[in-house]
């Protein structure tokens, strides 16, 4: 589903700059977490209160064409705000992994499926495990699947 409306960049400068550079270069630049070499994706959601277009950089955790979206927020006690946007409308999601963004739908994972994707996530980005140890909050994981056009 297209997410039209006013784009409101992240208040975090390094995030909004990474997203701008990633999009301007079609994913050729600003496509890793700082100098870690670990790849990121750009996820667009719709603000569940403002209706604005919101964009978030997340670690790239891909398997068979699907992507895990890990609401880690560095192990903080609260979910990142984009979590609430996805809960409010799981169909208002655009994933960009490289040059071409695509419409997607998410579902929040539980049980064995979440455990399997969590393992993939920690393999892709080991600090996720530390983040989960750091907080009582169970870090939510969504899986994003490309919409059939
Ligand atoms: N964050 C993660 O949680 N997981 C990752 O794997 C991850 C990787 C990553 C890689 C590179 C990078 O540069 C950043 C990375 N981040 C990762 C950080 C991520 O990009 C986000 O900055 C972070 O998760 C926080 O997301 P957030 O949605 O909480 O951002 C806040 C700061 C924000 O944008 N707040 C806005 C504001 O104005 O304060 C509001 C945003 C919003 O969606 N508002 C809603 C609306 O209606 O417009 C209302 C939402 C509500 O219910 O209150």
């Amino acid at each position: 589903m297209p997410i039209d409306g006013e784009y409101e960049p992240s208040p975090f400068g390094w995030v909004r700059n990474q997203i701008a550079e990633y999009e301007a270069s079609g994913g050729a630049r600003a496509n890793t977490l700082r100098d870690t070499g670990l790849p990121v994706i750009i996820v667009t959601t719709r603000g569940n209160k403002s209706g604005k277009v919101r964009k978030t950089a997340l670690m790239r955790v891909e398997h068979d064409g699907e992507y895990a979206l890990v609401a880690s927020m560095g192990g903080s006690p609260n979910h990142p705000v984009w979590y609430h946007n996805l809960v409010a409308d799981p169909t208002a999601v655009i994933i960009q992994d490289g040059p071409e963004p695509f419409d997607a739908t998410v579902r929040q994972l539980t049980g064995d499926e979440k455990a399997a994707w969590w393992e993939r996530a920690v393999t892709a980005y080991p600090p996720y495990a530390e983040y989960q140890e750091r907080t009582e909050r169970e870090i939510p994981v969504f899986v994003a699947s490309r919409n059939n056009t």
Side-chain angles (χ1 to χ4, degrees), residues 17 19 24-25 34-35 41 46 56 62 65 73 76 83 97 107 132 135 144:
N17 295 340
I19 290 167
S25 67
R34 296 186 299 277
D35 56 358
I41 59 171
R46 182 188 299 115
T56 305
E62 183 274 342
M73 189 72 172
S76 81
Y83 166 84
D97 177 20
R107 58 194 166 80
Q132 184 56 82
T135 179

Side-chain angles (χ1 to χ4, degrees), residues 83-126:
Y83 166 84
H84 302 291
N85 297 344
L86 289 180
V87 168
D89 189 347
T91 66
V93 186
I94 297 170
I95 302 285
Q96 184 164 0
D97 177 20
E100 291 304 323
F102 56 88
D103 292 346
T105 300
V106 300
R107 58 194 166 80
Q108 190 168 348
L109 299 177
T110 56
D112 293 346
E113 199 181 16
K114 178 180 179 185
W117 273 101
W118 181 255
E119 202 173 316
R120 293 183 187 122
V122 172
T123 302
Y125 185 60

Side-chain angles (χ1 to χ4, degrees), residues 11 18 47-50 54 57 59 70 72-73 81-82 85 128:
Q18 171 152 32
N48 74 88
K49 290 177 182 150
S50 70
R54 300 288 190 173
M59 298 317 294
V70 180
S72 51
M73 189 72 172
V81 163
W82 59 264
N85 297 344
Y128 279 142

Side-chain angles (χ1 to χ4, degrees), residues 21-38:
E21 184 69 13
Y22 187 107
E23 292 185 322
S25 67
R29 292 193 307 275
N31 53 20
T32 62
L33 174 65
R34 296 186 299 277
D35 56 358
T36 63
L38 298 175

